[in-house]
Amino acid sequence: KQEVTQIPAALSVPEGENLVLNCSFTDSAIYNLQWFRQDPGKGLTSLLLIQSSQREQTSGRLNASLDKSSGRSTLYIAASQPGDSATYLCAVTWSGGSYIPTFGRGTSLIVHP
Amino acid sequence: DTGVSQNPRHKITKRGQNVTFRCDPISEHNRLYWYRQTLGQGPEFLTYFQNEAQLEKSRLLSDRFSAERPKGSFSTLEIQRTEQGDSAMYLCASSLSGITYEQYFGPGTRLTVT
């Protein structure tokens, strides 16, 4: 079964820390992987998309990496700020199907001043 | 490009009533997806359209749920005879088929069944 797991489920850090969020997936035959941010009661905002042929993507203070062979992706957030507090979700689209992503449960991040 | 919009944003209904939600995708996107999300979970796929054709439905989608995308533009999701277990956030997303299938989400419709 194709599954996506995000650990930890929750994380609380002081402002200014660099942090890493983890996403693991059970099938290495992926098409792409997308990281989202979700604020409470809101929709999902796309942060970064990594295609299967790519190793990483960067946007501002965010860097996402992809290692298909180990079934892992990490989202690195540099110099965290209270405004980064949100739930971060990982979604994997597998190859050879309907290109419908499977989502993890997310990591709830709190950055305190 | 105004993004994906959903209406209403919130809906409170009594058990047994029918409800309908609307999603307007990004105008040039040919794919439209519906998801359901409950607290502490990631979005669960319900159904998707490519243009006006409904190509896949999840086994989560009971007979009480129906979706349409009549002209390949906006879509509606109807829930008949609502149950308390239908209380959730209903999310709509759109994408272009082809190279990336990158998904863009709307703000969601929060349904509460009392």
Side-chain angles (χ1 to χ4, degrees), chain A residues 29-96:
Chain A
I30 75 167
Y31 187 78
N32 64 33
L33 185 147
Q34 198 168 355
W35 281 95
F36 293 90
R37 169 187 172 134
Q38 186 174 30
D39 293 291
K42 307 291 186 183
L44 280 67
T45 299
S46 179
L47 298 174
L48 291 164
L49 180 144
I50 310 177
Q51 291 287 81
S52 175
S53 58
Q54 298 174 321
R55 294 288 297 219
E56 64 178 334
Q57 283 283 359
T58 298
S59 176
R61 293 182 295 110
L62 305 179
N63 176 275
S65 67
L66 175 64
D67 184 345
K68 290 186 297 181
S69 62
S70 65
R72 293 176 185 270
S73 175
T74 60
L75 180 66
Y76 175 83
I77 303 177
S80 58
Q81 304 170 357
D84 295 331
S85 298
T87 296
Y88 291 81
L89 293 136
C90 165
V92 175
T93 298
W94 274 282
S95 299

Side-chain angles (χ1 to χ4, degrees), chain B residues 76-108:
Chain B
T76 58
L77 178 69
E78 180 182 18
I79 308 174
Q80 296 183 328
R81 305 181 302 282
T82 52
E83 302 172 357
Q84 287 190 321
D86 296 331
S87 296
M89 175 76 90
Y90 289 84
L91 294 163
C92 174
S94 69
S95 75
L96 271 174
S97 60
I99 300 175
T100 71
Y101 296 89
E102 183 171 5
Q103 297 213 340
Y104 295 83
F105 279 78

Side-chain angles (χ1 to χ4, degrees), chain B:
Chain B
D1 179 1
T2 57
V4 179
S5 62
Q6 292 186 247
N7 286 289
R9 296 292 308 279
H10 304 274
K11 179 71 176 178
I12 299 174
T13 191
K14 294 185 187 299
R15 189 175 52 193
Q17 298 293 304
N18 299 342
V19 294
T20 300
F21 310 141
R22 175 176 170 133
C23 172
D24 287 86
I26 293 171
S27 56
E28 64 266 28
H29 284 181
N30 60 342
R31 281 193 159 207
L32 186 150
Y33 311 77
W34 286 100
Y35 295 89
R36 179 170 63 192
Q37 186 180 29
T38 53
L39 196 63
Q41 303 293 318
E44 292 178 303
F45 168 74
L46 294 178
T47 189
Y48 91 96
F49 294 83
Q50 183 152 316
N51 302 311
E52 66 275 10
Q54 187 174 18
L55 295 185
E56 190 166 332
K57 293 191 287 188
S58 166
R59 55 185 168 80
L60 295 175
L61 206 65
S62 79
D63 292 345
R64 297 184 296 105
F65 288 68
S66 62
E68 294 183 342
R69 193 182 185 199
K71 296 183 180 179
S73 56
F74 73 92
S75 175
T76 58
L77 178 69
E78 180 182 18
I79 308 174
Q80 296 183 328
R81 305 181 302 282
T82 52
E83 302 172 357
Q84 287 190 321
D86 296 331
S87 296
M89 175 76 90
Y90 289 84
L91 294 163
C92 174
S94 69
S95 75
L96 271 174
S97 60
I99 300 175
T100 71
Y101 296 89
E102 183 171 5
Q103 297 213 340
Y104 295 83
F105 279 78
T109 295
R110 168 72 65 189
L111 173 66
T112 302
V113 182
T114 62

